Amino acid sequence: MTFKIGLLGFGVVGTGTAKILLDPFGRHPVLKEITIGRVGVRSLDKPREIELSPQLLTTDLESIVTDPEIDIIVELLGGLEPARSLILQAIASGKHVVTANKAVIARFGDEIYAKASEKGVYVLLEAAVGGGIPVIKPLKQSLGANRISSIMGIVNGTTNYILTEMSQKGADFSEVLAKAQELGYAEADPTADVDGFDAADKIAILASLGFGGRVKREDVYCEGIRQVSAVDIAYADRLGFVIKLLAIAKDTVKEDSDTLELRVHPTLVPKTHPLANANGVYNAILVEGEPLGQVMFYGPGAGSGPTASAVVSDVMNIVGILKSSGKTKELDPLLSCIHQHYCQIAPMESLSTRFYARFLCRDVPGVIGHLGMAFGDHGVSLESVVQIGIRGDLAEIVVVTHDVREGNFRNALAAIESLEAIDSIPSILRVL
Ligand SMILES: NC(=O)C1=CN([C@@H]2O[C@H](COP(=O)(O)OP(=O)(O)OC[C@H]3O[C@@H](n4cnc5c(N)ncnc54)[C@H](OP(=O)(O)O)[C@@H]3O)[C@@H](O)[C@H]2O)C=CC1
Ligand SMILES: N[C@@H](CC=O)C(=O)O
Ligand code: NA
């Protein structure tokens, strides 16, 4: 029996996917039954790493998603449109879909999964989060017996690569970003990586799987890494931390309400924490549940081969189902997505966390006392105050707070900004 896939996109991940499918020797035997039926691209003239028969390539992507010969559509275009419309058209034509497109799923997952359930087809997305790391299927299946309390991790390879190179080699931000693009890690528009949007898409998807409700993408609080400077990386290092872009989804049961913290931001992570040692393009996702406790998923979070590994494993899962149960419309609830309600998200002001803040102060007597008083007045207690040095004619003071409600911390900062001794507050970062 042969199963035909229609590949939408033949870039970094599309090429990696074709490489695996065209070289099945030594891999799972089911791969020998999968062939590439058609390939959709934007430009027919572009030089390609893999030579495909010219009849396979087309710029008419609609003709692929409606082709009766195709069993599975593999969407590797990126971007919102035409990806969303083509996925919906593929579903309407009764085709199963595999996608790596977290941007589309995080925004239109409810629409896509509702249509997929109606049509009795699967939409699988292992490659969309953590690249090659198996994390979607484990959350759906292997961890299904657990009550998940938190999902926290490094889910963007590009920014982790940038932060690692900045901290280990003192490299320059824009040079490292260009290298990440060259290596095929970054999105077509790398703003999505650098400003945290890609990580926010991914944590929205993970939260929805882990906490059993839909998540509105716009509810994810999101800060990227643009404001992380070499100065803060060096201070963090001296204080025993590394700076990582963390994506966090945490169940916070308070009194009678059960809400979810959902946020992406650069974070000072203690060097002893398991997430601190995920470097370069590697991602790490720490899941906590009852009764299991903690489990960490670690591996390459982006790149052609690793991401293609996840894409092809989804294709194989669908082929396995088609082979064993035929074209039944009854979906396996452990592979499909059936959420109906939305998770309730906690407002940022109500969250409690530690903060790191760097102040530039006029070197007047008692400045540390003024700072301490302003924090104290707003219920913020300090874990450490380090007056590190002089920058020009300004004194540089770094503080780390104890756990504090975000709202109280912001109020304290507003008061501090108006102090005569304060010149500026160049950085504020959260601490794990
Ligand atoms: N790169 C990575 O490491 C990872 C990527 N992903 C996701 O995988 C998906 C693909 O990413 P990647 O392979 O890096 O992207 P690329 O930009 O390398 O490839 C995109 C492919 O899609 C084709 N394409 C894009 N828009 C259109 C259009 N409107 N009509 C026809 N063809 C189009 C391009 O055609 P042409 O070649 O003619 O330009 C190209 O072949 C994205 O959703 C991304 O987020 C997920 C995990 C990791
Ligand atoms: N641009 C993304 C690619 C994988 O999802 C990243 O850098 O992680
Ligand atoms: Na994955």
Side-chain angles (χ1 to χ4, degrees):
M1 212 171 191
T2 301
F3 298 88
K4 269 197 186 158
I5 68 161
L7 205 52
L8 307 183
F10 200 44
V12 173
V13 185
T15 304
T17 300
K19 276 186 188 167
I20 299 175
L21 293 173
L22 296 172
D23 177 25
F25 180 75
R27 309 183 204 272
H28 196 287
V30 89
L31 276 174
K32 297 201 177 92
E33 298 178 50
I34 303 169
T35 61
I36 301 173
R38 320 242 333 247
V39 179
V41 290
R42 195 164 17 207
S43 150
L44 292 175
D45 308 326
K46 207 168 176 175
R48 307 278 169 190
E49 217 184 298
I50 299 181
E51 285 279 326
L52 289 178
S53 137
Q55 299 95 283
L56 285 185
L57 281 180
T58 177
T59 54
D60 180 3
L61 276 58
E62 264 189 59
S63 73
I64 303 183
V65 296
T66 53
D67 184 337
E69 298 281 301
I70 300 286
D71 302 289
I72 303 167
I73 292 294
V74 178
E75 185 276 306
L76 303 171
L77 300 168
L80 297 181
E81 286 294 352
R84 169 187 156 272
S85 301
L86 289 165
I87 290 173
L88 288 169
Q89 260 186 295
I91 293 169
S93 305
K95 310 212 182 297
H96 302 279
V97 174
V98 171
T99 179
N101 197 327
K102 51 270 161 153
V104 162
I105 296 296
R107 284 165 189 77
F108 304 108
D110 42 6
E111 180 188 23
I112 288 171
Y113 283 105
K115 298 281 185 216
S117 292
E118 268 171 45
K119 281 304 255 185
V121 295
Y122 292 97
V123 177
L124 301 189
L125 69 156
E126 185 58 76
V129 184
I133 308 172
V135 60
I136 300 278
K137 202 168 176 220
L139 267 177
K140 282 183 181 173
Q141 301 191 341
S142 329
L143 298 180
N146 286 269
R147 219 172 265 133
I148 304 293
S149 52
S150 107
I151 302 175
M152 177 191 315
I154 297 161
V155 291
N156 183 269
T158 302
T159 46
N160 203 39
Y161 177 74
I162 294 173
L163 290 173
T164 304
E165 293 286 300
M166 283 173 74
S167 98
Q168 294 184 351
K169 300 185 188 152
D172 171 73
F173 179 94
S174 38
E175 268 172 35
V176 196
L177 173 58
K179 188 84 204 294
Q181 287 176 286
E182 216 178 279
L183 290 166
Y185 303 158
E187 295 302 303
D189 176 2
T191 312
D193 298 293
V194 171
D195 290 333
F197 309 145
D198 176 79
D201 293 345
K202 289 166 175 169
I203 197 69
I205 292 170
L206 292 180
S208 171
L209 293 172
F211 297 97
R214 290 176 178 167
V215 168
K216 293 192 184 123
R217 170 58 180 79
E218 64 268 24
D219 284 347
V220 185
Y221 174 83
C222 182
E223 270 176 41
I225 64 162
R226 278 185 211 277
Q227 85 275 28
V228 177
S229 67
V231 176
D232 293 309
I233 291 175
Y235 279 141
D237 181 51
R238 276 198 246 170
L239 292 164
F241 298 98
V242 288
I243 300 183
K244 297 285 183 194
L245 183 71
L246 289 196
I248 299 171
K250 215 192 256 184
D251 201 5
T252 49
V253 186
K254 277 188 195 135
E255 286 132 30
D256 54 353
S257 74
D258 186 2
T259 55
L260 212 57
E261 280 182 28
L262 212 46
R263 49 199 169 103
V264 170
H265 48 70
T267 312
L268 272 73
V269 178
K271 286 180 186 171
T272 50
H273 193 278
L275 292 173
N277 292 313
N279 288 320
V281 72
Y282 277 72
N283 284 188
I285 300 141
L286 190 62
V287 179
E288 197 160 337
E290 180 277 324
L292 177 69
Q294 287 189 334
V295 62
M296 191 161 96
F297 299 89
Y298 172 78
S304 178
T307 310
S309 152
V311 170
V312 177
S313 79
D314 276 346
V315 172
M316 287 166 60
N317 265 298
I318 294 172
V319 166
I321 290 169
L322 294 179
K323 277 171 72 77
S324 58
S325 55
K327 296 193 174 182
T328 160
K329 294 209 163 188
E330 203 64 48
L331 291 176
D332 176 347
L334 296 183
L335 262 192
S336 58
C337 218
I338 45 168
H339 305 143
Q340 296 304 327
H341 73 283
Y342 284 86
C343 296
Q344 203 186 326
I345 310 301
M348 277 304 275
E349 312 82 71
S350 71
L351 305 187
S352 274
T353 184
R354 290 192 288 165
F355 281 91
Y356 157 103
R358 181 161 60 91
F359 301 92
L360 286 176
C361 315
R362 293 177 192 96
D363 202 9
V364 293
V367 61
I368 290 186
H370 291 308
L371 264 181
M373 291 248 291
F375 275 126
D377 288 348
H378 291 88
V380 180
S381 77
L382 300 181
E383 188 178 285
S384 55
V385 183
V386 196
Q387 178 166 4
I388 306 223
I390 300 291
R391 200 167 285 272
D393 54 357
L394 298 171
E396 193 156 51
I397 296 177
V398 168
V399 305
V400 176
T401 71
H402 284 294
D403 270 338
V404 51
R405 269 173 69 102
E406 176 115 7
N408 290 12
F409 183 74
R410 298 277 164 204
N411 291 340
L413 284 186
I416 289 167
E417 265 173 342
S418 66
L419 291 176
E420 212 194 315
I422 300 298
D423 176 81
S424 58
I425 311 176
S427 7
I428 298 156
L429 295 164
R430 292 175 188 79
V431 180
L432 194 61

